[in-house]
Amino acid sequence: MLAVFLCFLSACSSAPNSLTYYLLHTTNDGSFTNRDVKQTVVLDKVTLPEYLKHRGLVYQTSDTNLHISTSHLWAEPVDEGLTKALISALVSKDIALIRPDHFKSEETHHMSLHVNDLVSTYEGEVVFSGQYRITQASGEARVHSFIFKSPLSNDGFASSIKAMRSAIKKLAEDVDSSLNQPN
């Protein structure tokens, strides 16, 4: 009886697992200040796979398995962090990415983003894939598929977040190129 009671007390006194929160975007980005933009794009919609709608960071452990962490969490929903990171990456290309509630004119490009994957893998890289659709003011639309891979510099979620940011910058370069393609 005494042994059971001591086990119970030791379980109650053990410290709970600490939680670590992560941002997909950077908070010290100065690219927003006093930039002249050459184009404005309205981001109408971001669609995520179900596994990215959880608070826990995701790691692909094999070809078929994902692990969703319970102690390493997103500080904000992934679609918000992704949007903020993409806004920052496009500002560096002199493109303003804005939300539809901030811009009422139809005389600009519109974009929707469908994410298939944004995950750190057991192969030591981040995979970011999906499609984006850009609709011109004339109504003509083009769909662009993408898959970007960024290597992890170290183990751990912090390294994964940095690789995700790198993959988002690659998407911004691709969007910039597609906006500058002739019709």
PDB file of all heavy atoms in Angstrom, residues 28-56:
ATOM      1  N   ASN A  28      10.884  40.459 -36.773  1.00  0.00           N
ATOM      2  CA  ASN A  28      11.839  41.564 -36.909  1.00  0.00           C
ATOM      3  C   ASN A  28      12.065  41.942 -38.365  1.00  0.00           C
ATOM      4  O   ASN A  28      13.117  42.443 -38.722  1.00  0.00           O
ATOM      5  CB  ASN A  28      13.166  41.212 -36.250  1.00  0.00           C
ATOM      6  CG  ASN A  28      13.813  39.988 -36.873  1.00  0.00           C
ATOM      7  OD1 ASN A  28      13.236  39.320 -37.709  1.00  0.00           O
ATOM      8  ND2 ASN A  28      15.027  39.686 -36.442  1.00  0.00           N
ATOM      9  N   ASP A  29      11.079  41.722 -39.204  1.00  0.00           N
ATOM     10  CA  ASP A  29      11.216  42.004 -40.626  1.00  0.00           C
ATOM     11  C   ASP A  29      10.969  43.483 -40.886  1.00  0.00           C
ATOM     12  O   ASP A  29       9.876  43.983 -40.670  1.00  0.00           O
ATOM     13  CB  ASP A  29      10.231  41.149 -41.425  1.00  0.00           C
ATOM     14  CG  ASP A  29      10.437  41.279 -42.920  1.00  0.00           C
ATOM     15  OD1 ASP A  29      11.407  41.937 -43.326  1.00  0.00           O
ATOM     16  OD2 ASP A  29       9.624  40.720 -43.662  1.00  0.00           O
ATOM     17  N   GLY A  30      11.973  44.186 -41.382  1.00  0.00           N
ATOM     18  CA  GLY A  30      11.849  45.608 -41.666  1.00  0.00           C
ATOM     19  C   GLY A  30      11.449  45.901 -43.095  1.00  0.00           C
ATOM     20  O   GLY A  30      11.438  47.055 -43.516  1.00  0.00           O
ATOM     21  N   SER A  31      11.101  44.883 -43.883  1.00  0.00           N
ATOM     22  CA  SER A  31      10.803  45.089 -45.307  1.00  0.00           C
ATOM     23  C   SER A  31       9.486  45.810 -45.539  1.00  0.00           C
ATOM     24  O   SER A  31       9.210  46.237 -46.644  1.00  0.00           O
ATOM     25  CB  SER A  31      10.805  43.751 -46.049  1.00  0.00           C
ATOM     26  OG  SER A  31       9.764  42.929 -45.578  1.00  0.00           O
ATOM     27  N   PHE A  32       8.663  45.947 -44.493  1.00  0.00           N
ATOM     28  CA  PHE A  32       7.363  46.594 -44.666  1.00  0.00           C
ATOM     29  C   PHE A  32       7.457  48.110 -44.650  1.00  0.00           C
ATOM     30  O   PHE A  32       6.531  48.790 -45.051  1.00  0.00           O
ATOM     31  CB  PHE A  32       6.391  46.152 -43.566  1.00  0.00           C
ATOM     32  CG  PHE A  32       6.017  44.709 -43.666  1.00  0.00           C
ATOM     33  CD1 PHE A  32       6.530  43.782 -42.780  1.00  0.00           C
ATOM     34  CD2 PHE A  32       5.162  44.267 -44.651  1.00  0.00           C
ATOM     35  CE1 PHE A  32       6.192  42.447 -42.879  1.00  0.00           C
ATOM     36  CE2 PHE A  32       4.823  42.926 -44.757  1.00  0.00           C
ATOM     37  CZ  PHE A  32       5.336  42.033 -43.872  1.00  0.00           C
ATOM     38  N   THR A  33       8.542  48.649 -44.177  1.00  0.00           N
ATOM     39  CA  THR A  33       8.617  50.094 -43.985  1.00  0.00           C
ATOM     40  C   THR A  33       8.936  50.820 -45.279  1.00  0.00           C
ATOM     41  O   THR A  33       9.926  50.548 -45.939  1.00  0.00           O
ATOM     42  CB  THR A  33       9.682  50.438 -42.928  1.00  0.00           C
ATOM     43  OG1 THR A  33      10.927  49.896 -43.350  1.00  0.00           O
ATOM     44  CG2 THR A  33       9.314  49.871 -41.573  1.00  0.00           C
ATOM     45  N   ASN A  34       8.071  51.740 -45.630  1.00  0.00           N
ATOM     46  CA  ASN A  34       8.277  52.668 -46.747  1.00  0.00           C
ATOM     47  C   ASN A  34       8.730  51.998 -48.036  1.00  0.00           C
ATOM     48  O   ASN A  34       9.702  52.420 -48.649  1.00  0.00           O
ATOM     49  CB  ASN A  34       9.290  53.753 -46.344  1.00  0.00           C
ATOM     50  CG  ASN A  34       8.794  54.559 -45.173  1.00  0.00           C
ATOM     51  OD1 ASN A  34       7.613  54.839 -45.057  1.00  0.00           O
ATOM     52  ND2 ASN A  34       9.710  54.926 -44.293  1.00  0.00           N
ATOM     53  N   ARG A  35       8.018  50.986 -48.459  1.00  0.00           N
ATOM     54  CA  ARG A  35       8.344  50.308 -49.717  1.00  0.00           C
ATOM     55  C   ARG A  35       7.366  50.745 -50.786  1.00  0.00           C
ATOM     56  O   ARG A  35       6.170  50.820 -50.551  1.00  0.00           O
ATOM     57  CB  ARG A  35       8.242  48.785 -49.558  1.00  0.00           C
ATOM     58  CG  ARG A  35       9.162  48.167 -48.561  1.00  0.00           C
ATOM     59  CD  ARG A  35      10.458  47.716 -49.017  1.00  0.00           C
ATOM     60  NE  ARG A  35      10.569  47.079 -50.292  1.00  0.00           N
ATOM     61  CZ  ARG A  35      11.559  46.282 -50.579  1.00  0.00           C
ATOM     62  NH1 ARG A  35      12.445  45.991 -49.675  1.00  0.00           N
ATOM     63  NH2 ARG A  35      11.671  45.772 -51.771  1.00  0.00           N
ATOM     64  N   ASP A  36       7.893  51.031 -51.955  1.00  0.00           N
ATOM     65  CA  ASP A  36       7.036  51.260 -53.111  1.00  0.00           C
ATOM     66  C   ASP A  36       6.820  49.919 -53.783  1.00  0.00           C
ATOM     67  O   ASP A  36       7.771  49.195 -54.051  1.00  0.00           O
ATOM     68  CB  ASP A  36       7.705  52.227 -54.096  1.00  0.00           C
ATOM     69  CG  ASP A  36       7.777  53.634 -53.545  1.00  0.00           C
ATOM     70  OD1 ASP A  36       6.852  54.028 -52.806  1.00  0.00           O
ATOM     71  OD2 ASP A  36       8.755  54.337 -53.843  1.00  0.00           O
ATOM     72  N   VAL A  37       5.565  49.586 -54.030  1.00  0.00           N
ATOM     73  CA  VAL A  37       5.270  48.307 -54.645  1.00  0.00           C
ATOM     74  C   VAL A  37       4.945  48.506 -56.117  1.00  0.00           C
ATOM     75  O   VAL A  37       4.393  49.527 -56.513  1.00  0.00           O
ATOM     76  CB  VAL A  37       4.110  47.585 -53.927  1.00  0.00           C
ATOM     77  CG1 VAL A  37       4.512  47.229 -52.510  1.00  0.00           C
ATOM     78  CG2 VAL A  37       2.842  48.394 -53.939  1.00  0.00           C
ATOM     79  N   LYS A  38       5.331  47.519 -56.919  1.00  0.00           N
ATOM     80  CA  LYS A  38       5.045  47.591 -58.354  1.00  0.00           C
ATOM     81  C   LYS A  38       3.720  46.921 -58.687  1.00  0.00           C
ATOM     82  O   LYS A  38       3.129  47.205 -59.709  1.00  0.00           O
ATOM     83  CB  LYS A  38       6.188  46.976 -59.159  1.00  0.00           C
ATOM     84  CG  LYS A  38       6.429  45.496 -58.876  1.00  0.00           C
ATOM     85  CD  LYS A  38       7.604  44.946 -59.636  1.00  0.00           C
ATOM     86  CE  LYS A  38       7.814  43.474 -59.268  1.00  0.00           C
ATOM     87  NZ  LYS A  38       8.988  42.916 -59.846  1.00  0.00           N
ATOM     88  N   GLN A  39       3.250  46.026 -57.806  1.00  0.00           N
ATOM     89  CA  GLN A  39       1.995  45.318 -58.041  1.00  0.00           C
ATOM     90  C   GLN A  39       1.296  45.053 -56.720  1.00  0.00           C
ATOM     91  O   GLN A  39       1.940  44.930 -55.679  1.00  0.00           O
ATOM     92  CB  GLN A  39       2.232  43.966 -58.737  1.00  0.00           C
ATOM     93  CG  GLN A  39       2.693  44.080 -60.149  1.00  0.00           C
ATOM     94  CD  GLN A  39       2.875  42.703 -60.776  1.00  0.00           C
ATOM     95  OE1 GLN A  39       3.186  41.733 -60.119  1.00  0.00           O
ATOM     96  NE2 GLN A  39       2.669  42.640 -62.078  1.00  0.00           N
ATOM     97  N   THR A  40      -0.014  44.947 -56.814  1.00  0.00           N
ATOM     98  CA  THR A  40      -0.822  44.559 -55.671  1.00  0.00           C
ATOM     99  C   THR A  40      -1.561  43.281 -56.039  1.00  0.00           C
ATOM    100  O   THR A  40      -2.113  43.170 -57.126  1.00  0.00           O
ATOM    101  CB  THR A  40      -1.839  45.655 -55.313  1.00  0.00           C
ATOM    102  OG1 THR A  40      -1.117  46.848 -54.989  1.00  0.00           O
ATOM    103  CG2 THR A  40      -2.687  45.253 -54.132  1.00  0.00           C
ATOM    104  N   VAL A  41      -1.545  42.333 -55.122  1.00  0.00           N
ATOM    105  CA  VAL A  41      -2.237  41.062 -55.309  1.00  0.00           C
ATOM    106  C   VAL A  41      -3.137  40.852 -54.093  1.00  0.00           C
ATOM    107  O   VAL A  41      -2.692  40.993 -52.953  1.00  0.00           O
ATOM    108  CB  VAL A  41      -1.247  39.884 -55.443  1.00  0.00           C
ATOM    109  CG1 VAL A  41      -1.979  38.557 -55.557  1.00  0.00           C
ATOM    110  CG2 VAL A  41      -0.310  40.095 -56.620  1.00  0.00           C
ATOM    111  N   VAL A  42      -4.386  40.517 -54.360  1.00  0.00           N
ATOM    112  CA  VAL A  42      -5.336  40.234 -53.291  1.00  0.00           C
ATOM    113  C   VAL A  42      -5.332  38.727 -53.032  1.00  0.00           C
ATOM    114  O   VAL A  42      -5.554  37.945 -53.958  1.00  0.00           O
ATOM    115  CB  VAL A  42      -6.756  40.714 -53.670  1.00  0.00           C
ATOM    116  CG1 VAL A  42      -7.745  40.339 -52.568  1.00  0.00           C
ATOM    117  CG2 VAL A  42      -6.769  42.213 -53.924  1.00  0.00           C
ATOM    118  N   LEU A  43      -5.041  38.350 -51.790  1.00  0.00           N
ATOM    119  CA  LEU A  43      -5.067  36.930 -51.414  1.00  0.00           C
ATOM    120  C   LEU A  43      -6.478  36.585 -50.959  1.00  0.00           C
ATOM    121  O   LEU A  43      -6.906  36.946 -49.868  1.00  0.00           O
ATOM    122  CB  LEU A  43      -4.061  36.640 -50.302  1.00  0.00           C
ATOM    123  CG  LEU A  43      -3.975  35.184 -49.842  1.00  0.00           C
ATOM    124  CD1 LEU A  43      -3.552  34.277 -50.995  1.00  0.00           C
ATOM    125  CD2 LEU A  43      -3.022  35.052 -48.676  1.00  0.00           C
ATOM    126  N   ASP A  44      -7.221  35.908 -51.831  1.00  0.00           N
ATOM    127  CA  ASP A  44      -8.618  35.604 -51.555  1.00  0.00           C
ATOM    128  C   ASP A  44      -8.790  34.448 -50.584  1.00  0.00           C
ATOM    129  O   ASP A  44      -9.691  34.459 -49.753  1.00  0.00           O
ATOM    130  CB  ASP A  44      -9.360  35.284 -52.860  1.00  0.00           C
ATOM    131  CG  ASP A  44      -9.495  36.501 -53.758  1.00  0.00           C
ATOM    132  OD1 ASP A  44      -9.760  37.595 -53.235  1.00  0.00           O
ATOM    133  OD2 ASP A  44      -9.329  36.348 -54.981  1.00  0.00           O
ATOM    134  N   LYS A  45      -7.916  33.426 -50.689  1.00  0.00           N
ATOM    135  CA  LYS A  45      -8.157  32.218 -49.899  1.00  0.00           C
ATOM    136  C   LYS A  45      -6.868  31.419 -49.727  1.00  0.00           C
ATOM    137  O   LYS A  45      -6.064  31.323 -50.645  1.00  0.00           O
ATOM    138  CB  LYS A  45      -9.206  31.359 -50.611  1.00  0.00           C
ATOM    139  CG  LYS A  45      -9.649  30.137 -49.877  1.00  0.00           C
ATOM    140  CD  LYS A  45     -10.761  29.438 -50.641  1.00  0.00           C
ATOM    141  CE  LYS A  45     -11.273  28.266 -49.840  1.00  0.00           C
ATOM    142  NZ  LYS A  45     -12.344  27.575 -50.519  1.00  0.00           N
ATOM    143  N   VAL A  46      -6.703  30.844 -48.546  1.00  0.00           N
ATOM    144  CA  VAL A  46      -5.635  29.881 -48.270  1.00  0.00           C
ATOM    145  C   VAL A  46      -6.307  28.613 -47.772  1.00  0.00           C
ATOM    146  O   VAL A  46      -7.079  28.650 -46.811  1.00  0.00           O
ATOM    147  CB  VAL A  46      -4.639  30.406 -47.213  1.00  0.00           C
ATOM    148  CG1 VAL A  46      -3.614  29.341 -46.871  1.00  0.00           C
ATOM    149  CG2 VAL A  46      -3.961  31.680 -47.681  1.00  0.00           C
ATOM    150  N   THR A  47      -6.030  27.489 -48.427  1.00  0.00           N
ATOM    151  CA  THR A  47      -6.594  26.201 -48.041  1.00  0.00           C
ATOM    152  C   THR A  47      -5.457  25.302 -47.560  1.00  0.00           C
ATOM    153  O   THR A  47      -4.443  25.171 -48.242  1.00  0.00           O
ATOM    154  CB  THR A  47      -7.299  25.535 -49.243  1.00  0.00           C
ATOM    155  OG1 THR A  47      -8.244  26.453 -49.789  1.00  0.00           O
ATOM    156  CG2 THR A  47      -8.008  24.275 -48.823  1.00  0.00           C
ATOM    157  N   LEU A  48      -5.653  24.694 -46.400  1.00  0.00           N
ATOM    158  CA  LEU A  48      -4.643  23.819 -45.799  1.00  0.00           C
ATOM    159  C   LEU A  48      -5.162  22.396 -45.691  1.00  0.00           C
ATOM    160  O   LEU A  48      -6.367  22.179 -45.533  1.00  0.00           O
ATOM    161  CB  LEU A  48      -4.297  24.298 -44.385  1.00  0.00           C
ATOM    162  CG  LEU A  48      -3.684  25.673 -44.232  1.00  0.00           C
ATOM    163  CD1 LEU A  48      -3.510  25.992 -42.753  1.00  0.00           C
ATOM    164  CD2 LEU A  48      -2.356  25.765 -44.953  1.00  0.00           C
ATOM    165  N   PRO A  49      -4.245  21.412 -45.694  1.00  0.00           N
ATOM    166  CA  PRO A  49      -4.671  20.043 -45.392  1.00  0.00           C
ATOM    167  C   PRO A  49      -5.069  19.945 -43.919  1.00  0.00           C
ATOM    168  O   PRO A  49      -4.640  20.758 -43.086  1.00  0.00           O
ATOM    169  CB  PRO A  49      -3.427  19.210 -45.697  1.00  0.00           C
ATOM    170  CG  PRO A  49      -2.295  20.147 -45.572  1.00  0.00           C
ATOM    171  CD  PRO A  49      -2.811  21.500 -45.956  1.00  0.00           C
ATOM    172  N   GLU A  50      -5.853  18.979 -43.603  1.00  0.00           N
ATOM    173  CA  GLU A  50      -6.392  18.833 -42.248  1.00  0.00           C
ATOM    174  C   GLU A  50      -5.286  18.742 -41.197  1.00  0.00           C
ATOM    175  O   GLU A  50      -5.411  19.296 -40.100  1.00  0.00           O
ATOM    176  CB  GLU A  50      -7.301  17.603 -42.198  1.00  0.00           C
ATOM    177  CG  GLU A  50      -8.329  17.632 -41.110  1.00  0.00           C
ATOM    178  CD  GLU A  50      -9.264  18.832 -41.140  1.00  0.00           C
ATOM    179  OE1 GLU A  50      -9.728  19.245 -42.214  1.00  0.00           O
ATOM    180  OE2 GLU A  50      -9.523  19.372 -40.046  1.00  0.00           O
ATOM    181  N   TYR A  51      -4.175  18.076 -41.499  1.00  0.00           N
ATOM    182  CA  TYR A  51      -3.133  17.896 -40.487  1.00  0.00           C
ATOM    183  C   TYR A  51      -2.436  19.202 -40.111  1.00  0.00           C
ATOM    184  O   TYR A  51      -1.812  19.288 -39.056  1.00  0.00           O
ATOM    185  CB  TYR A  51      -2.115  16.827 -40.911  1.00  0.00           C
ATOM    186  CG  TYR A  51      -1.131  17.231 -41.996  1.00  0.00           C
ATOM    187  CD1 TYR A  51       0.054  17.877 -41.678  1.00  0.00           C
ATOM    188  CD2 TYR A  51      -1.376  16.940 -43.331  1.00  0.00           C
ATOM    189  CE1 TYR A  51       0.966  18.228 -42.661  1.00  0.00           C
ATOM    190  CE2 TYR A  51      -0.477  17.283 -44.308  1.00  0.00           C
ATOM    191  CZ  TYR A  51       0.695  17.929 -43.970  1.00  0.00           C
ATOM    192  OH  TYR A  51       1.594  18.272 -44.944  1.00  0.00           O
ATOM    193  N   LEU A  52      -2.557  20.245 -40.933  1.00  0.00           N
ATOM    194  CA  LEU A  52      -1.962  21.538 -40.584  1.00  0.00           C
ATOM    195  C   LEU A  52      -2.931  22.447 -39.835  1.00  0.00           C
ATOM    196  O   LEU A  52      -2.574  23.554 -39.458  1.00  0.00           O
ATOM    197  CB  LEU A  52      -1.465  22.253 -41.843  1.00  0.00           C
ATOM    198  CG  LEU A  52      -0.205  21.678 -42.467  1.00  0.00           C
ATOM    199  CD1 LEU A  52       0.142  22.415 -43.739  1.00  0.00           C
ATOM    200  CD2 LEU A  52       0.965  21.728 -41.485  1.00  0.00           C
ATOM    201  N   LYS A  53      -4.132  21.967 -39.599  1.00  0.00           N
ATOM    202  CA  LYS A  53      -5.113  22.771 -38.865  1.00  0.00           C
ATOM    203  C   LYS A  53      -5.029  22.529 -37.353  1.00  0.00           C
ATOM    204  O   LYS A  53      -5.780  23.103 -36.593  1.00  0.00           O
ATOM    205  CB  LYS A  53      -6.524  22.485 -39.388  1.00  0.00           C
ATOM    206  CG  LYS A  53      -6.693  22.931 -40.829  1.00  0.00           C
ATOM    207  CD  LYS A  53      -8.069  22.613 -41.359  1.00  0.00           C
ATOM    208  CE  LYS A  53      -8.184  22.995 -42.824  1.00  0.00           C
ATOM    209  NZ  LYS A  53      -9.475  22.624 -43.386  1.00  0.00           N
ATOM    210  N   HIS A  54      -4.094  21.694 -36.929  1.00  0.00           N
ATOM    211  CA  HIS A  54      -3.871  21.423 -35.509  1.00  0.00           C
ATOM    212  C   HIS A  54      -2.859  22.415 -34.956  1.00  0.00           C
ATOM    213  O   HIS A  54      -2.067  22.993 -35.693  1.00  0.00           O
ATOM    214  CB  HIS A  54      -3.344  19.993 -35.303  1.00  0.00           C
ATOM    215  CG  HIS A  54      -4.310  18.949 -35.733  1.00  0.00           C
ATOM    216  ND1 HIS A  54      -5.287  18.460 -34.904  1.00  0.00           N
ATOM    217  CD2 HIS A  54      -4.468  18.302 -36.913  1.00  0.00           C
ATOM    218  CE1 HIS A  54      -5.996  17.557 -35.548  1.00  0.00           C
ATOM    219  NE2 HIS A  54      -5.517  17.443 -36.771  1.00  0.00           N
ATOM    220  N   ARG A  55      -2.847  22.592 -33.650  1.00  0.00           N
ATOM    221  CA  ARG A  55      -1.890  23.508 -33.014  1.00  0.00           C
ATOM    222  C   ARG A  55      -0.479  22.915 -32.978  1.00  0.00           C
ATOM    223  O   ARG A  55       0.510  23.645 -32.979  1.00  0.00           O
ATOM    224  CB  ARG A  55      -2.331  23.822 -31.574  1.00  0.00           C
ATOM    225  CG  ARG A  55      -3.561  24.667 -31.443  1.00  0.00           C
ATOM    226  CD  ARG A  55      -3.415  26.059 -32.037  1.00  0.00           C
ATOM    227  NE  ARG A  55      -2.341  26.840 -31.499  1.00  0.00           N
ATOM    228  CZ  ARG A  55      -2.462  27.879 -30.717  1.00  0.00           C
ATOM    229  NH1 ARG A  55      -3.647  28.277 -30.349  1.00  0.00           N
ATOM    230  NH2 ARG A  55      -1.407  28.535 -30.284  1.00  0.00           N
ATOM    231  N   GLY A  56      -0.365  21.598 -32.937  1.00  0.00           N
ATOM    232  CA  GLY A  56       0.933  20.959 -32.821  1.00  0.00           C
ATOM    233  C   GLY A  56       1.712  20.958 -34.124  1.00  0.00           C
ATOM    234  O   GLY A  56       1.143  20.808 -35.199  1.00  0.00           O
TER     235      GLY A  56
END
